[in-house]
């Protein structure tokens, strides 16, 4: 255990999946001294994450949470206020990947994708920021994806959700900076989690078909993403807002297209 997040309260969404990025972030936040509220649609998964933290001597709570629901966010904020105190860190990690070609993608699919990955973090920030403002500020970390800045087949809905989250995060960063609220993004590449296992059919990181095309020659581990989140959550990054950290083993540097949104329109 270290103390980079000592005495801080962190809400992390999507912690119920193992291996999963939210799980790794929650574990890392707790090991740096934060009290972590682990949330997920999968209540038992969030509970398992919180119990793992407590077994290791950390401080954790859990709640069932649908990030696409304003009332569910209301419960998360109410729990935080009553049980935990000022909210220092919000990590919008929960996400789904609706990977379909344009011909197969229905309007309902598209809306469901945006509801979880884009509207969810919007409701979360809309709920948390007034509270953070009243308690002296905070740090928001939104988990984007390299799919928010490079195109891929079947990535129309997913890419739209992540590109939108990236752009929204920059606007929040600028608007909320005077309130000492920072907002940054982390952009994972190919990370070994349940989501990647389902989308590739691999049963181990070494089986992921495109691992060899990653410049660092491996699929990332969820802890690689968590390490970036810890930096952005901690006071070490107190002069950093509106920034992005790519945790992608060099994929976006290879294609040289890491910033198309900023050059469009
Ligand atoms: P994961 O293993 O599928 O975990 C995502 C978690 O989010 C699951 O526990 C899931 O619960 C939960 N969730 C889904 N919908 C939710 C909702 N409406 N409300 C609350 N929780 C919900 O995925 P992951 O790979 O760790 O991904 C975490 C984040 O990183 C996502 O935002 C993803 O887009 C992003 N990302 C991942 C990769 C990668 O290579 N793995 C790359 C780039 C970005 P259920 O299991 O019950 O659905």
């Amino acid at each position: 255990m270290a103390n980079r997040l000592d005495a801080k309260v962190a809400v992390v969404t999507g912690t119920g999946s193992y291996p999963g990025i939210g799980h790794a972030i929650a574990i890392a936040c707790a090991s740096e001294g934060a009290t972590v509220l682990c949330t997920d649609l999968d209540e038992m998964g969030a509970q398992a994450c919180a119990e793992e933290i407590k077994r290791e001597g950390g401080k954790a709570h859990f709640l069932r949470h649908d990030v696409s629901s304003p009332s569910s966010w209301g419960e998360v904020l109410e729990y935080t206020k009553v049980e935990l105190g000022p909210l220092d860190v919000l990590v919008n990690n929960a996400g789904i990947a609706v990977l379909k070609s344009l011909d197969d993608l229905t309007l309902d699919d598209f809306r469901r994708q945006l509801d979880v990955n884009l509207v969810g973090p919007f409701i979360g920030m809309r709920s948390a920021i007034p509270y953070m403002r009243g308690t002296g500020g905070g740090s928001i970390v939104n988990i984007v994806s390299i799919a928010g800045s490079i195109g891929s087949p079947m990535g129309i809905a997913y890419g739209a959700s992540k590109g939108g989250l990236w752009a929204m995060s920059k606007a929040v960063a600028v608007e909320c900076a005077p309130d000492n609220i920072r907002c940054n993004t982390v952009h994972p590449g190919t990370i070994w989690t349940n989501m990647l296992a389902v989308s590739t059919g691999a049963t181990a990181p070494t089986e992921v078909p495109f691992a060899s095309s990653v410049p660092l020659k491996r699929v990332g581990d969820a802890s690689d993403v968590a390490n970036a989140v810890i930096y952005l959550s901690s006071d070490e990054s107190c002069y950093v807002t509106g920034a992005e950290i790519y945790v992608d083993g060099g994929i976006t540097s290879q294609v040289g297209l890491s910033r198309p949104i900023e050059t469009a329109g």
Side-chain angles (χ1 to χ4, degrees):
M1 301 264 273
N3 58 5
R4 293 159 79 201
L5 300 181
D6 221 12
K8 291 192 188 295
V9 169
V11 170
V12 183
T13 71
T15 56
S17 173
Y18 181 82
I21 292 172
H23 173 272
I25 293 169
I27 299 284
C29 286
S31 74
E32 291 292 345
T35 299
V36 184
L37 177 54
C38 303
T39 81
D40 203 293
L41 202 52
D42 170 8
E43 183 174 12
M44 284 173 65
Q47 180 176 14
C49 186
E51 282 172 0
E52 185 179 338
I53 289 171
K54 288 196 258 184
R55 272 199 305 278
E56 298 297 318
K59 299 177 285 275
H61 299 241
F62 71 93
L63 271 186
R64 184 189 181 277
H65 181 201
D66 178 357
V67 297
S68 66
S69 157
S71 64
S72 188
W73 271 108
E75 287 163 16
V76 167
L77 263 293
E78 190 57 25
Y79 186 94
T80 305
K81 284 176 193 172
V82 172
E83 301 291 337
L84 308 178
L87 175 60
D88 302 290
V89 175
L90 170 63
V91 184
N92 282 307
N93 163 78
I96 59 172
V98 179
L99 303 175
K100 290 188 178 182
S101 68
L102 185 62
D103 289 342
D104 294 333
L105 190 66
T106 66
L107 185 55
D108 280 350
D109 289 333
F110 192 73
R111 287 195 166 129
R112 186 167 63 91
Q113 178 68 89
L114 295 191
D115 251 7
V116 178
N117 289 16
L118 181 58
V119 178
F122 162 71
I123 307 168
M125 292 193 285
R126 184 69 190 79
S127 308
I129 284 170
Y131 184 44
M132 285 180 164
R133 206 177 264 143
T135 56
S139 172
I140 297 169
V141 183
N142 291 327
I143 306 301
V144 179
S145 167
I146 59 169
S149 46
I150 56 176
S152 57
M154 304 206 293
I156 292 169
Y158 186 67
S161 72
K162 293 300 188 178
L165 179 58
W166 183 19
M168 177 167 67
S169 302
K170 286 191 178 288
V172 168
V174 172
E175 186 166 315
C176 298
D179 300 312
N180 193 33
I181 295 169
R182 301 184 293 110
C183 182
N184 294 289
T185 51
V186 172
H187 302 230
T190 306
I191 309 295
W192 181 245
T193 65
N194 280 329
M195 182 185 280
L196 187 70
V198 169
S199 64
T200 60
T203 58
T206 47
E207 287 178 14
V208 175
F210 34 86
S212 61
S213 64
V214 178
L216 283 178
K217 297 294 174 208
R218 70 170 173 91
V219 164
D221 190 80
S223 63
D224 295 321
V225 181
N227 288 337
V229 173
I230 294 298
Y231 167 67
L232 293 172
S233 302
S234 77
D235 295 340
E236 292 163 21
S237 59
C238 61
Y239 199 57
V240 178
T241 195
E244 52 274 322
I245 298 181
Y246 284 81
V247 183
D248 69 352
I251 294 174
T252 45
S253 298
Q254 192 174 38
V255 295
L257 282 174
S258 62
R259 293 173 174 266
I261 286 168
E262 291 173 343
T263 58

